[in-house]
Amino acid sequence: ERRRGLLAIAAIAAVHSASALTVNIKPGTTQCFVLDIQKGAAVAGNFEILTEEGWDDVHIKVRGPKPHEVMYYETEGEEEGNFEFDAAMSGDQSICLTNSHSSDTRPIGFAFREEAQELLTGADLAGMAATEENVGEMVTVANDLTQGLDMLRDHQEYMRMREEQHRATVAKTNSKVLWWTCGEAFILVAMACWQILYIRTFFEVKRYV
């Protein structure tokens, strides 16, 4: 019986959940993503804006299906955030990302998933030995740990995405510096050649005079 309880907890921890995604929201546009969720199901998610500034231009909304479109979560000008709710209606639950800036694209990482349900029922617990009376609490803790691990994995993904963006920015800056350096070197060589030719011409004129 003890092994049965532990295997159930391990199964909860192994439930697959969607990985974090990254989207580039163009200026003045909105992108929405949906999950088909049944009424009463637990939904959770988080987001992070992957820029050093410009958070005030980003608006996040999480809503239920039409026609009621219950607003579960809404924020504006936040760098990151978390949300969770129980679906009030069956249907497409949506998360919409809006960039109100007039010229700059905003990269946003986000996760939007249905939470895993408990795999042990009351009947399962009733059939266990008295020494396993606290398995229910352990299952709850395991669910909380699973949710925490999902969030940790999401933020690790955001850090990786941010690092890739920084690496691309550094590479672009280094490329510009290289081209500027080559340009300056060309100008210096050209000026040196011109000075040599000018001085040479000057002395030749003096000699003929």
Side-chain angles (χ1 to χ4, degrees), residues 10-20 113-117 146 150 153:
I12 292 174
V15 171
H16 174 73
S17 57
S19 299
R113 59 170 67 91
E114 180 179 2
E115 291 295 289
Q117 301 297 315
T146 301
D150 285 339
R153 183 177 60 181

Side-chain angles (χ1 to χ4, degrees), residues 5-170:
L6 295 178
L7 286 175
I9 294 173
I12 292 174
V15 171
H16 174 73
S17 57
S19 299
L21 301 175
T22 301
V23 292
N24 292 313
I25 310 298
K26 295 182 178 180
T29 63
T30 297
Q31 289 191 33
C32 294
F33 302 85
V34 300
L35 282 179
D36 185 9
I37 302 295
Q38 297 300 311
K39 180 179 179 180
V43 181
N46 55 74
F47 70 91
E48 184 172 334
I49 302 171
L50 305 176
T51 58
E52 301 300 330
E53 57 184 11
W55 310 329
D56 294 340
D57 306 317
V58 177
H59 194 182
I60 311 291
K61 289 183 179 180
V62 181
R63 292 179 290 199
K66 295 179 180 181
H68 301 289
E69 292 190 330
V70 177
M71 185 69 69
Y72 295 114
Y73 180 83
E74 182 177 11
T75 186
E76 185 172 6
E78 296 292 333
E79 179 186 9
E80 59 182 33
N82 305 304
F83 56 86
E84 55 182 67
F85 60 90
D86 293 333
M89 297 178 61
S90 297
D92 291 338
Q93 322 293 327
S94 65
I95 178 171
C96 293
L97 316 173
T98 301
N99 176 15
S100 60
H101 198 273
S102 59
S103 59
D104 293 338
T105 297
R106 301 298 186 209
I108 303 175
F110 75 96
F112 189 40
R113 59 170 67 91
E114 180 179 2
E115 291 295 289
Q117 301 297 315
E118 292 187 4
L119 302 183
L120 285 181
T121 65
D124 294 328
L125 295 176
M128 292 184 177
T131 55
E132 300 296 332
E133 60 184 5
N134 62 343
V135 169
E137 295 180 3
M138 294 175 67
V139 170
T140 300
V141 171
N143 282 324
D144 292 341
L145 286 174
T146 301
Q147 184 174 353
L149 288 172
D150 285 339
M151 188 177 300
L152 178 61
R153 183 177 60 181
D154 293 338
H155 285 285
Q156 285 179 331
E157 184 69 12
Y158 300 151
M159 290 177 63
R160 186 186 65 79
M161 297 170 186
R162 191 185 292 269
E163 182 182 358
E164 288 180 355
Q165 286 191 336
H166 288 172
R167 188 183 300 113
T169 301
V170 169

